[in-house]
Amino acid sequence: MVFSKVINTCGSTATSLLLLSLYHSYASAAPIVGGDVTINGGTPESWSLSQQATLTVNGAQTLQITSDNSTLNVNTGSTTQQLSARNGSIVNLNGATVSGSGGLAAVLLTNSDATINNSTVTGNRLGLQAVRNTATQTGSHVVVTGKSTITGVLGGALVSAHSTLDVSDSIIQGTGATSYGLRLSSGQAIARNSTVIGGQDGIRIDVDVNDAQPAVLALENTTVQGSTGSAIVVDFNNASTQAATLSLNNSRLLAGNGTLLDVRGGANVSMTVNGSTLNGNIVSEQGSAIQLVLQNDSVLTGRLENVASTTINDSSRWVLVGDSQVDSLILNRGGSVVFGDTNAFYQLNVTNLSGNGRFVMGTDFSTGRTDLLNVTGTATGNHELLIASSGVDPAAGQPIRVVQTAGGDANFSLVNGAVELGTFSYGLAKSGNDWILDPSTRIVSPGARSVLALFNTASTVWLGELTSLRTRMGELRFNGGQSGAWGRTYANKYNIADGSGVGYQQTQQGFTLGADAALPLGDGQWLVGVLAGQSQSDLNLYAGTSGRVESYYLGAYVTWLDTQTGYYFDGVLKANRFRNNAKVGLSDGTRAKGDYDNSGLGGSVEFGKHINFDNGNFLEPFTEWSAVVIQGKDFSLSNDLQAEGDRTRSLLGKVGATAGRNIELGQGRVVQPYLRAAWAHEFAKNNEVQVNNNVFNNDLSGSRAELGAGIAVAMTNNLNMHADFEYSRGQNIEQPYGINFGFRYRW
């Protein structure tokens, strides 16, 4: 039996029996003509709406529904079969489920609009089809929101010319093996915070042969995945010259076959990538064209094949995974091209190069292999080359060509002005139309400089810890040479000249503690004692390269003070353990580091005479001789730079005088200001260091003048304190300051 429900324009319901023909083998549809009907339950039926009718389904089940210039509302908990709307109909799905078992799509819209919110649409062919009547240019417009899911065996959704799809927080998916997630036939779509998946391709873009229009696709924080095929395929089948415009904002493209964008059939595609990271290839067949723009810190890692134009802006990067070719390459505002891993070497062929950008490259001097930028047409603009550093030395004397051009006024330069390759850094030079790394421009590399500095520093560390008797223990005559304990803290700075290309600054801080006792032998004017301490020296070699030497030491000393003649003698024997660490800033922005431990043994003797004058004035001429031997060591930096250091030796002789005055304050308190001047000479000349078998000589030999000033104070009969400041300057070494504070307590 067949029946229908007819709603009149006043909203009252009249029931009459009508005989209707079968529609696509389904049960007869109940027509609603120009009225309103609400379904809250009952037996599932098919419905047909026309003449601006309205059907509202609340928590009920229906069979298929057709709508002609009418409104359909399917609300939470409702389940329907196929929905077909045409001629300006409006479809609202809110929390609904649509299961299409027949027809082209579960939801088929022709010149109609739909809002799909928090709903599930499943088709055995397509999930959603938004198309137009070929006689009009109205099209269909769909908004999908609220975690909706639209799936179909052949494809998730199809959008034709003059139609739009706006998707947010939802999933569009093709479930069949050869399916697509979304198909745009000259249509337009935007997806936000969503996922589009196809069993084969993620998105396919082709031409509406009845009315070819520009296709537009915008992705925002969205993932498009082709499970076994490409993420996006654009194929116009040579039927249109219209352009397809693609934009990605913070989105991902995933491809089972490794191809993110595949352009065929004479298609012309403009693709702009904003703030996105992509891994895969972008490919265009002959006769098609791609204009690619990377901007806002986007990263593309993959191959570009037959791409007409590539523009890289705003610190974005294209990372090569093999030899590549681009017709026009434009780099702006920090855009860069990275030639893959440093152990792989690629060639990039560019017809025309322009803009101002950076090329991150690698080269192996020892084998002659290198990344190569080859511009076959015109090269313009100013470009930087950031070439990977290495700790391995190049093969002898051969230049490496890194840029080859056919002409143009382009200028290339190295980031930081040089590239470190083992012992030396090399500059960039122009040779004809090409640019080469030129061995004739070499200078000592930061890695080699750090090695030389560390091997050179131990001797100045040792001397800074030692100093003279007065700066080490204060004025012993305040205590009459009696037993006691003492301590001092000190800070020194040294500027080392560029001998052997190893100029650096050393800043030292440390402390020493000691104790001594009077010898019962001899004339009773001898003290014997022990000392221990620690210091830390930081080396600044500029340009991000530094070093550190931590020193731990033990020693013994003997001191003789003759109260009658004023003669004195001081001898020290000291053993050190050094912990050396280098951190090297390389021109390619990376860092290398290395460390080693070694030991040292040395001693000093000081002999002088204290001469008293009237009014407490005194003069104290002296001579001091010190010698140290530092253990040689082999070590390497993390970039494979090899270092071999022979024993380091220092033999320093010094003559000078101290002039001062003892000012009595009463009650055993004495203040002794003094000035000191000396002439020192370093006799050791040959401290050999090898870096990658290149021989250097750390030579700090030569003379220097020393000036000092200080004050010693007898606070009580048992406690003395002193402070000392010194400055020295010579040919290879300058000490801008040396500061020392100490005390001595008599038992």
Side-chain angles (χ1 to χ4, degrees):
M1 181 176 67
V2 179
F3 63 92
S4 67
K5 297 180 180 178
V6 179
I7 310 301
N8 63 27
T9 56
C10 298
S12 62
T13 304
T15 304
S16 63
L17 296 178
L18 298 174
L19 182 62
L20 299 176
S21 61
L22 293 176
Y23 178 72
H24 293 298
S25 75
Y26 291 109
S28 298
I32 306 174
V33 181
D36 298 341
V37 168
T38 299
I39 304 173
N40 296 310
T43 302
E45 299 181 68
S46 298
W47 295 85
S48 176
L49 288 64
S50 62
Q51 299 183 24
Q52 299 184 352
T54 300
L55 173 63
T56 301
V57 183
N58 293 324
Q61 296 182 359
T62 75
L63 303 180
Q64 72 272 10
I65 301 174
T66 62
S67 175
D68 187 345
N69 191 27
S70 297
T71 300
L72 171 62
N73 303 308
V74 184
N75 295 323
T76 303
S78 300
T79 301
T80 76
Q81 293 184 1
Q82 180 188 8
L83 304 180
S84 178
R86 61 183 181 272
N87 296 334
S89 292
I90 298 174
V91 176
N92 297 306
L93 304 181
N94 186 24
T97 299
V98 180
S99 299
S101 58
L104 294 175
V107 176
L108 173 59
L109 305 171
T110 306
N111 293 1
S112 298
D113 296 343
T115 300
I116 303 173
N117 179 58
N118 193 27
S119 297
T120 300
V121 177
T122 305
N124 63 350
R125 291 175 62 84
L126 296 178
L128 169 67
Q129 188 168 347
V131 298
R132 64 184 180 86
N133 187 311
T134 57
T136 69
Q137 295 184 346
T138 304
S140 298
H141 308 283
V142 184
V143 176
V144 180
T145 60
K147 298 182 180 180
S148 295
T149 300
I150 299 175
T151 62
V153 176
L154 297 180
L158 183 150
V159 181
S160 75
H162 303 290
S163 299
T164 62
L165 173 63
D166 188 331
V167 183
S168 299
D169 305 301
S170 298
I171 298 173
I172 308 293
Q173 183 172 3
T175 58
T178 60
S179 65
Y180 54 81
L182 171 64
R183 177 181 171 188
L184 299 180
S185 293
S186 298
Q188 300 184 15
I190 182 171
R192 306 178 188 87
N193 307 308
S194 297
T195 301
V196 180
I197 305 175
Q200 184 175 30
D201 302 320
I203 297 177
R204 293 176 186 165
I205 301 176
D206 56 19
V207 176
D208 185 335
V209 295
N210 295 308
D211 190 359
Q213 295 292 318
V216 178
L217 172 66
L219 305 175
E220 297 182 7
N221 195 31
T222 290
T223 297
V224 175
Q225 180 176 358
S227 298
T228 62
S230 303
I232 302 175
V233 175
V234 183
D235 188 352
F236 285 1
N237 198 26
N238 298 309
S240 174
T241 59
Q242 294 283 1
T245 301
L246 316 180
S247 64
L248 280 68
N249 292 301
N250 193 30
S251 295
R252 294 194 306 162
L253 301 182
L254 306 176
N257 64 2
T259 300
L260 305 182
L261 175 62
D262 185 359
V263 179
R264 315 168 187 161
N268 184 3
V269 176
S270 173
M271 180 175 177
T272 302
V273 182
N274 289 282
S276 302
T277 299
L278 306 178
N279 291 279
N281 305 320
I282 294 179
V283 177
S284 174
E285 71 175 11
Q286 292 295 329
S288 299
I290 299 175
Q291 291 81 40
L292 174 65
V293 178
L294 303 177
Q295 57 192 30
N296 296 327
D297 297 313
S298 293
V299 179
L300 170 64
T301 302
R303 189 181 77 254
L304 299 184
E305 184 177 316
N306 197 34
V307 174
S309 172
T310 300
T311 302
I312 306 176
N313 300 327
D314 308 322
S315 300
S316 294
R317 305 192 306 278
W318 170 31
V319 182
L320 276 65
V321 296
D323 294 344
S324 297
Q325 185 273 329
V326 175
D327 287 343
S328 176
L329 179 61
I330 305 163
L331 303 178
N332 295 312
R333 301 187 300 276
S336 62
V337 176
V338 182
F339 282 71
D341 188 81
T342 55
N343 294 322
F345 301 99
Y346 304 132
Q347 179 169 320
L348 173 60
N349 296 315
V350 178
T351 304
N352 294 300
L353 172 67
S354 61
N356 300 281
R358 175 177 291 184
F359 295 90
V360 182
M361 311 174 76
T363 189
D364 186 346
F365 252 109
S366 62
T367 64
R369 301 177 65 201
T370 183
D371 291 321
L372 176 65
L373 171 63
N374 179 32
V375 183
T376 60
T378 301
T380 62
N382 295 303
H383 305 278
E384 293 180 319
L385 304 182
L386 180 59
I387 298 179
S389 298
S390 172
V392 180
D393 273 22
Q398 296 301 315
I400 293 292
R401 182 177 58 186
V402 290
V403 177
Q404 177 177 290
T405 70
D409 60 359
N411 183 66
F412 294 88
S413 61
L414 288 172
V415 175
N416 297 320
V419 57
E420 296 87 14
L421 298 172
T423 310
F424 299 98
S425 297
Y426 298 84
L428 189 70
K430 189 173 184 181
S431 176
N433 288 326
D434 301 338
W435 297 81
I436 62 172
L437 293 178
D438 187 358
S440 67
T441 64
R442 74 180 193 178
I443 58 174
V444 179
S445 70
R449 292 174 63 238
S450 71
V451 168
L452 295 171
L454 283 181
F455 283 128
N456 207 31
T457 300
S459 60
T460 52
V461 169
W462 192 87
L463 290 172
E465 296 165 348
L466 190 66
T467 67
S468 66
L469 174 64
R470 182 176 295 275
T471 57
R472 189 175 80 249
M473 297 173 61
E475 176 53 275
L476 287 177
R477 293 170 183 81
F478 285 154
N479 301 121
Q482 299 183 34
S483 303
W486 54 272
R488 73 193 258 297
T489 182
Y490 52 90
N492 300 301
K493 183 174 182 179
Y494 301 99
N495 295 327
I496 308 301
D498 286 332
S500 300
V502 70
Y504 62 92
Q505 292 182 338
Q506 173 188 346
T507 304
Q508 181 186 35
Q509 295 178 333
F511 68 90
T512 308
L513 300 175
D516 47 53
L519 278 176
L521 304 177
D523 58 7
Q525 300 183 96
W526 291 85
L527 290 175
V528 62
V530 295
L531 60 86
Q534 186 267 341
S535 74
Q536 177 178 295
S537 293
D538 292 312
L539 310 183
N540 179 10
L541 289 97
Y542 314 106
T545 297
S546 62
R548 171 170 290 185
V549 179
E550 295 181 1
S551 172
Y552 303 86
Y553 52 92
L554 293 171
Y557 61 91
V558 59
T559 302
W560 172 67
L561 298 173
D562 190 320
T563 56
Q564 292 184 350
T565 64
Y567 286 110
Y568 73 92
F569 169 83
D570 182 56
V572 178
L573 182 66
K574 185 163 70 78
N576 284 65
R577 186 64 174 172
F578 302 103
R579 295 180 178 176
N580 307 271
N581 180 278
K583 295 181 179 179
V584 183
L586 303 175
S587 63
D588 61 0
T590 61
R591 297 186 68 85
K593 59 183 180 179
D595 59 80
Y596 67 96
D597 294 349
N598 62 339
S599 301
L601 180 64
S604 74
V605 293
E606 182 180 345
F607 181 77
K609 178 178 175 61
H610 188 84
I611 305 172
N612 289 311
F613 297 99
D614 295 338
N615 300 320
N617 296 313
F618 68 88
L619 180 66
E620 190 175 271
F622 68 92
T623 182
E624 181 183 359
W625 293 83
S626 61
V628 64
V629 177
I630 311 296
Q631 177 189 14
K633 199 75 172 182
D634 297 348
F635 82 108
S636 62
L637 297 182
S638 57
N639 66 345
D640 296 326
L641 184 140
Q642 305 297 316
E644 302 175 24
D646 287 350
R647 289 189 181 96
T648 299
R649 297 174 176 85
S650 173
L651 176 59
L652 184 69
K654 185 185 302 184
V655 293
T658 302
R661 182 177 183 180
N662 293 316
I663 303 173
E664 300 285 345
L665 300 180
Q667 298 180 343
R669 292 176 297 171
V670 180
V671 175
Q672 183 189 89
Y674 58 86
L675 298 174
R676 184 177 63 255
W679 186 260
H681 186 83
E682 174 62 67
F683 292 91
K685 294 183 178 181
N686 297 312
N687 291 314
E688 186 175 289
V689 178
Q690 294 188 39
V691 181
N692 289 351
N693 296 320
N694 295 284
V695 178
F696 295 87
N697 180 28
N698 274 338
D699 186 0
L700 293 181
S701 64
S703 300
R704 59 180 180 263
E706 296 184 355
L707 299 174
I711 185 170
V713 181
M715 307 294 292
T716 67
N717 289 329
N718 299 97
L719 178 64
N720 304 333
M721 302 186 72
H722 67 275
D724 190 89
F725 177 86
E726 59 183 5
Y727 167 84
S728 68
R729 183 168 185 174
Q731 179 181 355
N732 291 317
I733 184 170
E734 178 191 19
Q735 183 181 16
Y737 65 81
I739 303 173
N740 173 75
F741 297 98
F743 72 92
R744 177 176 173 80
Y745 185 80
R746 186 185 67 176
W747 303 123

